[in-house]
Amino acid sequence: MPSAFASLRIQTENIMKFLNNIYRSIFRYGRMPEDAEGASYAVFNNLFLHIHPVKVSKHSLRFRYTFGLGVIATCLFLILTFTGVWLMFYYFPSATEAYGRMLDLRSSVDFGFVLRNVHKWAAEAMVFFVVLHMARVFFTGAYKPPREFNWVIGIVLLLLTLGLSFTGYLLPWDQLAFWAITVGTSIAGYAPIVGDPIRQFLLGSDNVGQEALVRFYVLHVVILPGLLSIFLAIHFWRIRKDGGLSHPNDNDVSVAQTKH
Ligand code: HEM
């Protein structure tokens, strides 16, 4: 008959084994790798490390090379998705109700004003950081072959980010939003040939009204974030296929091995 102390020890050991099994099922390679093969194995088998290619140039890991701007933009998109879905529980895209719902959110919902402000500030910050990220890519010459296709994907991401910002602007249905969208869609209407169809597509009628609100809402919560997620996946896949981030030894044979 084991003593109380011994049975406690056995139970603790079993719990530790159980937790260790769970940990091992997620992170397959536990110990610190001792050689290049172990390091590759550790990277391949870890979801988080697998973001990087097996071989990464030291240069591209320097914080001052990227300033983490692309990663910051990605985090902001995740924050916006999370707070945006949360906001959908309270918001209603109706010309008679949207403004009232927004006021209710600020005054009657617990932490509603925090939720709304986080969404609004993160949206503005995302535009800011995407533009900075683009400037970093330009000034480090990372748009040159083989990354020229990823630069084009980046332009699509920039346009989608601006589109999300523009469509989100109308949703509070306040005076600022109403007149900003009236002016914005009128400017679009002046573009030669495609101007009027674009304006009609956005507004769904001749004026900014209920149809426009529903269209901006669907674009803002489904179509644009969906497209942005797809293009972001292509953007990240392309970074891997181009051999990780750009670096001065891009044409080195040893580094080129990682490009497949
Ligand atoms: C939603 C917007 C965007 C997100 C979330 C995003 C995310 C990222 C991330 C995480 C990286 C890895 C390196 C880093 O952090 O700098 C990266 C690299 C890159 N991005 Fe973006 N990006 C976006 C928009 C853009 C834009 C607007 C451009 C250019 C027009 C662009 C072009 C590139 C290129 C060429 C690389 C490879 C850079 C290199 O090899 O040094 N991206 N992006």
Side-chain angles (χ1 to χ4, degrees):
M1 187 72 177
S3 68
F5 178 71
S7 96
L8 182 69
R9 195 171 60 90
I10 292 168
Q11 278 182 20
T12 314
E13 274 174 14
N14 283 341
I15 292 173
M16 292 311 289
K17 257 191 214 155
F18 175 67
L19 292 177
N20 193 36
N21 276 348
I22 294 181
Y23 180 82
R24 280 281 156 273
S25 69
I26 303 170
F27 304 102
R28 305 290 164 107
Y29 196 86
R31 29 182 221 287
M32 281 300 283
E34 280 154 17
D35 51 16
E37 196 188 351
S40 315
Y41 192 75
V43 171
F44 267 136
N45 287 289
N46 184 307
L47 173 70
F48 303 104
L49 293 179
H50 198 198
I51 286 176
H52 292 291
V54 166
K55 279 187 189 170
V56 184
S57 96
K58 241 186 191 170
H59 178 269
S60 60
L61 285 178
R62 275 178 29 219
F63 176 74
R64 277 179 40 227
Y65 186 59
T66 62
F67 294 99
L69 294 167
V71 175
I72 294 175
T74 311
C75 292
L76 286 168
F77 179 58
L78 293 177
I79 292 172
L80 283 163
T81 309
F82 179 74
T83 51
V85 170
W86 200 344
L87 280 170
M88 285 172 76
F89 285 115
Y90 305 107
Y91 181 81
F92 195 68
S94 144
T96 49
E97 279 194 49
Y99 185 62
R101 293 275 179 136
M102 197 263 300
L103 290 185
D104 279 354
L105 177 73
R106 286 200 334 208
S107 55
S108 325
V109 175
D110 286 343
F111 297 105
F113 70 100
V114 178
L115 180 61
R116 178 157 184 258
N117 281 340
V118 169
H119 194 74
K120 194 168 180 294
W121 282 99
E124 286 176 18
M126 184 165 167
V127 174
F128 179 70
F129 280 103
V130 168
V131 172
L132 279 189
H133 167 61
M134 188 176 167
R136 186 294 282 175
V137 170
F138 179 76
F139 286 118
T140 53
Y143 55 84
K144 292 178 196 164
R147 297 181 177 77
E148 71 276 33
F149 178 60
N150 218 8
W151 172 264
V152 176
I153 298 289
I155 298 288
V156 176
L157 288 173
L158 176 70
L159 294 178
L160 289 170
T161 307
L162 294 177
L164 274 162
S165 194
F166 183 63
T167 49
Y169 214 71
L170 181 68
L171 303 186
W173 202 248
D174 52 9
Q175 284 293 313
L176 187 67
F178 183 87
W179 291 109
I181 300 304
T182 306
V183 172
T185 49
S186 300
I187 293 173
Y190 282 113
I193 306 166
V194 288
D196 211 44
I198 289 181
R199 190 170 172 274
Q200 280 289 331
F201 167 76
L202 286 173
L203 295 184
S205 105
D206 290 334
N207 307 309
V208 179
Q210 177 61 58
E211 287 80 7
L213 184 55
V214 170
R215 284 182 182 215
F216 274 59
Y217 181 67
V218 174
L219 280 169
H220 189 74
V221 304
V222 183
I223 298 177
L224 296 178
L227 286 176
L228 201 136
S229 306
I230 293 170
F231 278 93
L232 210 51
I234 301 175
H235 198 53
F236 293 153
W237 171 76
R238 227 26 269 176
I239 295 173
R240 290 294 302 268
K241 289 288 154 190
D242 293 336
L245 295 189
S246 53
H247 45 82
N249 307 327
D250 249 351
N251 298 322
D252 253 17
V253 184
S254 59
V255 180
Q257 285 168 354
T258 63
K259 291 188 179 170
H260 303 289

